[in-house]
Amino acid sequence: MIKWTRKKSLWPILCALGCLFVLAVVAPRAWQRYQTKSSQHETAVVFIEPSVSVEPSEKVVTLTPEPQAEQPLRTPPLVVAEPTLPPIEVEPAEVAFEILSGPQLVPPAPSEPTLAKPEFDLDVLLQMRDTLMAMVDRLPSPRLAKPQASVVRPRAMVRITGETDRLAMLERRDSRMNNWSEPSRTAPVPTLARLPDVIQELTPPREPLLRFRPTVLLEQLQQLTTQPLGAEWSEQVRSEVARLTDDHTTPPSAALPILGELEALALSGRNAADQVAYSTNRHHWFQAIQSLERRLAIWQALLDPSVEAKNSIVLATDAPDVMVTLSQVAAALEGKLHGTEWRDYLLLDQIATATSEGAGTDQQGRSKLAQTVLSRMTSAQLTAEQKLFLASEPLDNLKNALQPWAATAVNLDRLIALVERYEAGRELRFAVAIAQIQQKLRWSNAPELRALADHLDLYYRGSNMRLAVTDDLINQMVPKQKPIVLPVNERIAGAKVRGQSRTTTRLRVQLIPDPMAWRFGLEAHGNVYSKTRSETWPARVRNAAKMQYQVRKTITISQDGLDVSPAKALAQGRHELLGVDSQLDGVPLLGSLLRDIARNKNQQSRSKAISQVKRKVISQAQKRMDSEADLKFENLAQKFRENILGPIERLALIAEPRSMFTTDDRAVMQLRLANEGQLAAHTPRPLAPSDSVASLQIHETVLNNALAGLQLDGRRMKVIELFEFFAKKFSRIEAQPSEDLSRRAIIQFADRDAILVNCDDDRVELILNIREVAHGRDKIRNFQVHAYFRPVLHGLDLRLVRDGTLQFSGRRLKTGPRVVLHGVFGKLLEKDREIRLMASDLQKEPRLAGLMVTQLVINDGWIGLALGPAHPERTAWRTVGPTTESMMR
């Protein structure tokens, strides 16, 4: 066993103590020199020289600093009024403004009065700018100020506190000092014509309209410029986006026109891309188009002042009002058949606790509780009857009372920052934050913010699983029916009939077009052959019948669940007389007479007998179809609940059908597997080949949302316990750990994003965020484990095999700790460990003969899989799309 022992060294501590000693000796002198030097540094001073008069009672102090040696020019004396500035009397016709600068004044002796240095806030300065501009508009043409000997002109001073001050755009003092000279009394004083230029110099540079650059979008546009399709469109989009993100001179008033131009470009680009044959270039074009469309609505809300104003308005609901509504709801549910279940479903007790004073529920807790209740009241899984019940009073009043709790102000700048970070790294913490903001916007009173919530739901919580099957595959998987031979012992047309029947049946599934559900008809086509004899004394009649029947049963799978209608049947056939026997055949004349009577009687009752036989055939066919089909569908639904819905619910996921439809030859279902606090797919899925009989696309959010439901964040366990945990969760109890797997190593996962999955570049990346690994005396903290799996395909055998060695990322991970980590995780994620994507039973299924995997794509967060006709020269597509063949969505 390899042990890593760390030996503590003393030299880093000694070096640190030596540095501290040198710093303690040198620092005082350096600080003293800094203060002396900073007192000689420049200070930009702004002087405003209106015509003023000094009150006689005020004391005027003149400070004349001594000129410095390196600057022989004399600085003009500065006249300061004490204790306060005198009132300014502006003359409408004669006002002069001047900007001067001089050397930093040396502090006077204690006996002399000190110079006041007021500091102005930027917002105050900008307000003064607007006031002065308005004054300039009202004034007549400026004239030179007349010198007045008896008037004292105090100079207001604004000091810049540092190099990074927002007023630092003023010209540096040292550059102007050499050109300064004492103004002559006969020289013209600068007039008001310079005021706009001065104010422009004082105005800080404007920030771009968008602070966060869409990095992913710009990379996609850059990639598109190098391809033959969409290059011109990409340049146009990049130019418009640059006006929002890079151009500091774009005024806010131009934001909405720019967004309108981008919307037009997105629409024109989609129309142009639809006309192009599917290819990798076309797929990249659609990626850029959808990436632009995802951001436009967010930019619109961020740059529209009216939307921002509505976002800041938060309605409040008083706790007494909510309590009154709760009392009404509780009274309405009292005595109901399922009143207790509704009370638990609507979380009435938790709402009552949140409204109580001293319960310790803050605004964030009330908001989350209200969002949960409102989401339950508007769930798509509710039946029509349940929706009608929740829309009645006082339950509808409860929804209105909780809505202000759920709707809180949202920082749209934070939203766009989260979006850009999530698209760049696809980390779950950013996804959770975006989902929380979407829930807040969903219950806002502003229509624009609710529209933004719908936009986020459409583009960032889209379908992350899609399944499509054709009628050919369904019929190919329908089992063949064996012939059924049964005895006949019936009474038909008043005669007792005995014999034997043989029934053959052929099942077939026919898809029924439906835009809202999966609808298909299960049809049974069969023939009934029978040979019977009727005992009518003294003659015995032998008959043969052939009946054809058709039974149809409609099955509907929708958001409301599985609905199986009763079977309906039709039958038609013919009846044939085989012969008549009589016990008196040996008697001349009498035997033939009895046979003729029996034939006539059989002819007369034939229509009645055929009708009766048809009814019996129809009845038996319907009963058989209902009994057998209902039993099979019940077993199928039970397996679906145990193997699919059960794990989904245990992982705290919600399986919500986003789209279900049926065409003449294909049934398509799009699902969203995510709870309300999670995101789903946000990138365009790969398209399947047009001749595929079945296709499946899964987004990585399905796996990440499921892994989040394992609740491994922050958990600490042994490696062997982690192996057993995964084996139990994924129903792999028979899996056995490696003999070399460490039994003593302890793993503690990070507090968030414990396990992540990324699907890109034709491989699946598994990321483990580890807070600490303890193995013997070794403790390694804060690192990531990266394991890569590549697909291996042979016919219908599809597996994911670990590719390459494990990768570790973290700060200060040296060779020794890496060896320890390889020893721990190398046995947990073994090199030859495989993940089967298709069950082994399907590979041996004879009904799948002639099929192969025709597509296997792992790119942009998606795993795309398709089955189609096999051909010796055909291979599976491993890229996002072919270059020539047509595709189906």
Side-chain angles (χ1 to χ4, degrees):
M1 181 181 295
I2 300 176
K3 293 186 178 180
W4 175 252
T5 304
R6 294 183 176 84
K7 183 178 179 181
K8 297 183 178 179
S9 303
L10 295 178
W11 65 267
I13 301 176
L14 297 177
C15 292
L17 292 176
C19 293
L20 291 176
F21 176 78
V22 174
L23 183 63
V25 174
V26 177
R29 291 181 173 274
W31 180 251
Q32 185 177 4
R33 287 197 304 271
Y34 171 79
Q35 286 185 331
T36 305
K37 187 175 181 179
S38 62
S39 63
Q40 300 175 0
H41 257 301
E42 78 279 6
T43 299
V45 183
V46 179
F47 299 99
I48 303 176
E49 296 192 359
S51 299
V52 298
S53 300
V54 179
E55 298 293 337
S57 60
E58 290 182 344
K59 180 180 179 181
V60 179
V61 181
T62 303
L63 300 179
T64 306
E66 298 179 1
Q68 301 179 3
E70 62 275 13
Q71 296 178 354
L73 296 175
R74 279 186 62 208
T75 59
L78 180 62
V79 181
V80 180
E82 189 186 20
T84 58
L85 292 176
I88 300 176
E89 298 178 358
V90 181
E91 299 178 3
E94 299 179 1
V95 180
F97 296 90
E98 183 179 8
I99 294 183
L100 304 175
S101 65
Q104 175 73 24
L105 294 179
V106 179
S111 58
E112 297 179 357
T114 58
L115 178 64
K117 300 180 180 179
E119 297 185 4
F120 286 80
D121 187 37
L122 179 61
D123 296 335
V124 177
L125 183 62
L126 296 178
Q127 186 176 3
M128 293 172 57
R129 180 198 66 179
D130 298 337
T131 305
L132 293 174
M133 291 297 296
M135 184 187 304
V136 171
D137 295 337
R138 293 193 301 267
L139 292 177
S141 57
R143 293 180 296 173
L144 294 178
K146 298 179 180 179
Q148 298 180 5
S150 60
V151 176
V152 181
R153 303 180 184 275
R155 297 171 179 174
M157 181 177 64
V158 179
R159 178 174 180 175
I160 298 175
T161 57
E163 292 287 337
T164 60
D165 194 88
R166 298 183 69 179
L167 295 179
M169 73 289 296
L170 290 177
E171 187 179 0
R172 294 181 58 88
R173 169 181 165 269
D174 51 3
S175 62
R176 293 179 294 176
M177 193 63 195
N178 296 331
N179 299 328
W180 186 89
S181 60
E182 185 174 356
S184 173
R185 293 188 177 274
T186 59
V189 181
T191 63
L192 285 176
R194 285 195 56 197
L195 182 59
D197 298 334
V198 172
I199 296 176
Q200 183 66 26
E201 294 177 1
L202 293 177
T203 304
R206 185 186 293 112
E207 293 183 352
L209 298 181
L210 292 179
R211 296 171 54 192
F212 302 96
R213 303 180 76 251
T215 307
V216 176
L217 172 61
L218 295 177
E219 291 176 354
Q220 294 170 344
L221 294 174
Q222 177 63 32
Q223 181 184 15
L224 198 60
T225 56
T226 61
Q227 300 181 4
L229 297 178
E232 182 180 357
W233 178 88
S234 174
E235 289 293 345
Q236 295 177 356
V237 174
R238 290 177 60 190
S239 176
E240 295 297 330
V241 172
R243 296 178 61 189
L244 298 174
T245 59
D246 301 333
D247 193 351
H248 294 261
T249 62
T250 304
S253 58
L256 297 183
I258 294 175
L259 293 178
E261 182 65 24
L262 288 175
E263 290 180 1
L265 287 173
L267 181 59
S268 63
R270 184 170 290 276
N271 294 335
D274 285 333
Q275 306 299 323
V276 180
Y278 192 85
S279 62
T280 304
N281 187 185
R282 181 176 181 266
H283 180 78
H284 292 162
W285 197 353
F286 269 110
Q287 280 184 322
I289 292 172
Q290 188 166 326
S291 182
L292 175 62
E293 292 174 343
R294 289 196 300 267
R295 292 166 170 81
L296 283 177
I298 307 176
W299 291 348
Q300 178 80 22
L302 180 63
L303 300 178
D304 192 345
S306 62
V307 175
E308 184 64 27
K310 295 178 182 179
N311 180 33
S312 61
I313 300 176
V314 180
L315 300 180
T317 296
D318 296 333
D321 297 339
V322 178
M323 289 300 297
V324 170
T325 306
L326 283 178
S327 302
Q328 296 174 354
V329 172
L333 296 178
E334 189 71 24
K336 292 285 185 180
L337 179 60
H338 301 287
T340 305
E341 289 81 357
W342 277 112
R343 187 183 184 94
D344 296 337
Y345 181 77
L346 297 176
L347 305 177
L348 298 185
D349 296 335
Q350 288 86 331
I351 297 175
T353 303
T355 56
S356 302
E357 296 182 0
T361 305
D362 56 0
Q363 181 179 0
Q364 184 177 0
R366 286 194 298 268
S367 176
K368 187 173 182 180
L369 176 62
Q371 292 170 10
T372 303
V373 175
L374 292 174
S375 298
R376 292 186 175 188
M377 297 181 72
T378 57
S379 175
Q381 298 179 339
L382 296 173
T383 63
E385 184 179 359
Q386 292 170 341
K387 292 179 181 179
L388 184 62
F389 175 72
L390 290 174
S392 62
E393 294 185 357
L395 294 171
D396 188 63
N397 296 337
L398 177 63
K399 182 171 67 175
N400 297 332
L402 292 178
Q403 185 171 345
W405 277 11
T408 58
V410 173
N411 188 341
L412 297 180
D413 280 322
R414 181 171 179 266
L415 172 61
I416 190 62
L418 290 172
V419 165
E420 297 302 336
R421 291 189 177 185
Y422 173 69
E423 294 212 4
R426 303 204 291 265
E427 299 183 30
L428 288 184
R429 52 176 176 167
F430 301 133
V432 172
I434 295 173
Q436 292 175 352
I437 293 178
Q438 190 269 340
Q439 288 295 317
K440 295 179 181 179
L441 295 172
R442 180 182 177 186
W443 307 110
S444 174
N445 277 340
E448 295 85 355
L449 297 179
R450 291 198 302 270
L452 178 58
D454 295 339
H455 175 85
L456 294 175
D457 185 78
L458 176 64
Y459 282 94
Y460 288 95
R461 283 172 50 82
S463 304
N464 52 10
M465 177 182 290
R466 180 185 183 272
L467 174 64
V469 293
T470 61
D471 56 347
D472 294 337
L473 179 63
I474 297 175
N475 287 311
Q476 193 171 345
M477 298 299 295
V478 171
K480 293 182 178 181
Q481 303 296 310
K482 296 181 180 180
I484 300 176
V485 179
L486 296 174
V488 178
N489 188 3
E490 302 286 346
R491 181 172 292 275
I492 299 174
K496 191 174 182 180
V497 178
R498 293 182 179 181
Q500 191 179 52
S501 67
R502 183 175 182 269
T503 304
T504 59
T505 306
R506 180 174 59 87
L507 296 179
R508 180 178 180 272
V509 175
Q510 182 179 3
L511 299 182
I512 304 173
D514 192 318
M516 301 298 295
W518 274 17
R519 186 183 300 273
F520 53 92
L522 178 60
E523 298 179 354
H525 299 266
N527 297 316
V528 180
Y529 303 91
S530 63
K531 288 185 178 182
T532 61
R533 64 183 183 275
S534 58
E535 302 291 343
T536 56
W537 188 90
R540 182 176 57 183
V541 180
R542 290 177 287 110
N543 296 306
K546 181 181 179 181
M547 302 297 296
Q548 297 177 349
Y549 70 89
Q550 178 181 355
V551 189
R552 183 176 182 137
K553 194 177 185 67
T554 303
I555 296 96
T556 304
I557 302 176
S558 64
Q559 296 183 2
D560 298 331
L562 177 65
D563 181 26
V564 181
S565 64
K568 296 180 180 181
L570 296 174
Q572 62 181 1
R574 57 186 176 84
H575 183 273
E576 181 180 356
L577 179 62
L578 297 180
V580 179
D581 298 331
S582 173
Q583 297 178 357
L584 301 176
D585 286 344
V587 180
L589 296 178
L590 185 57
S592 60
L593 179 61
L594 291 176
R595 288 194 300 269
D596 291 340
I597 294 174
R599 288 189 183 95
N600 292 334
K601 188 175 181 180
N602 181 269
Q603 184 69 26
Q604 293 174 1
S605 62
R606 179 174 297 180
S607 60
K608 182 178 180 180
I610 292 178
S611 299
Q612 191 172 350
V613 171
K614 284 183 180 180
R615 289 196 298 269
K616 288 183 177 295
V617 170
I618 290 174
S619 176
Q620 292 176 0
Q622 289 177 346
K623 289 181 180 179
R624 183 185 174 191
M625 173 69 79
D626 287 335
S627 61
E628 294 184 4
D630 291 350
L631 179 61
K632 290 184 180 295
F633 279 115
E634 184 178 351
N635 295 335
L636 180 62
Q638 181 66 22
K639 292 181 179 179
F640 182 77
R641 285 191 295 267
E642 293 176 356
N643 301 328
I644 304 299
L645 292 183
I648 288 176
E649 292 176 357
R650 288 194 296 270
L651 294 174
L653 297 179
I654 299 176
E656 180 182 353
R658 299 282 291 178
S659 174
M660 299 181 66
F661 63 90
T662 310
T663 63
D664 293 332
D665 60 350
R666 197 178 299 264
V668 180
M669 176 187 297
Q670 296 184 8
L671 295 174
R672 178 173 66 192
L673 294 174
N675 59 36
E676 297 165 354
Q678 296 172 331
L679 296 187
H682 68 281
T683 56
R685 62 174 179 84
L687 303 184
S690 59
D691 63 346
S692 61
V693 296
S695 62
L696 175 67
Q697 294 90 31
I698 299 178
H699 195 258
E700 63 185 26
T701 52
V702 175
L703 306 176
N704 287 325
N705 293 342
L707 292 173
L710 297 177
Q711 298 180 353
L712 289 174
D713 294 349
R715 292 190 61 176
R716 185 180 182 91
M717 62 180 67
K718 294 182 178 180
V719 176
I720 186 64
E721 295 175 347
L722 180 62
F723 183 89
E724 296 173 352
F725 176 82
F726 279 109
K728 181 179 179 181
K729 284 292 184 180
F730 295 102
S731 302
R732 297 287 302 275
I733 305 299
E734 71 281 358
Q736 297 296 326
S738 173
E739 296 180 357
D740 298 334
L741 184 64
S742 175
R743 265 61 176 177
R744 296 187 305 163
I746 299 176
I747 297 177
Q748 182 178 1
F749 287 97
D751 295 336
R752 57 188 178 188
D753 300 348
I755 304 180
L756 292 176
V757 173
N758 288 335
C759 301
D760 211 347
D761 297 332
D762 197 32
R763 64 181 182 178
V764 178
E765 179 185 8
L766 178 66
I767 304 175
L768 305 180
N769 289 291
I770 307 300
R771 183 176 182 179
E772 181 183 82
V773 166
H775 186 261
R777 300 178 59 182
D778 296 312
K779 291 185 178 180
I780 308 172
R781 297 182 176 89
N782 301 327
F783 62 93
Q784 288 184 334
V785 183
H786 302 264
Y788 299 94
F789 296 84
R790 57 180 177 85
V792 176
L793 178 62
H794 297 288
L796 293 178
D797 184 14
L798 180 58
R799 296 166 295 166
L800 288 177
V801 182
R802 214 194 82 187
D803 183 27
T805 60
L806 296 177
Q807 303 292 327
F808 302 96
S809 61
R811 299 182 61 184
R812 301 176 182 175
L813 275 182
K814 298 183 179 179
T815 304
R818 290 180 183 272
V819 172
V820 175
L821 294 179
H822 274 289
V824 174
F825 291 98
K827 303 303 180 182
L828 181 63
L829 302 171
E830 294 179 329
K831 176 70 174 178
D832 56 349
R833 188 169 296 278
E834 300 175 351
I835 302 176
R836 289 189 177 273
L837 298 184
M838 295 189 67
S840 57
D841 297 339
L842 294 178
Q843 303 173 20
K844 302 176 182 179
E845 177 59 53
R847 288 172 291 183
L848 294 179
L851 298 179
M852 63 172 289
V853 176
T854 57
Q855 183 191 40
L856 178 58
V857 175
I858 303 177
N859 185 68
D860 202 17
W862 285 95
I863 300 177
L865 178 66
L867 296 180
H871 192 274
E873 299 180 357
R874 186 172 187 178
T875 58
W877 292 341
R878 303 298 297 272
T879 58
V880 294
T883 56
T884 57
E885 293 198 35
S886 61
M887 304 294 290
M888 290 193 65
R889 292 180 182 272

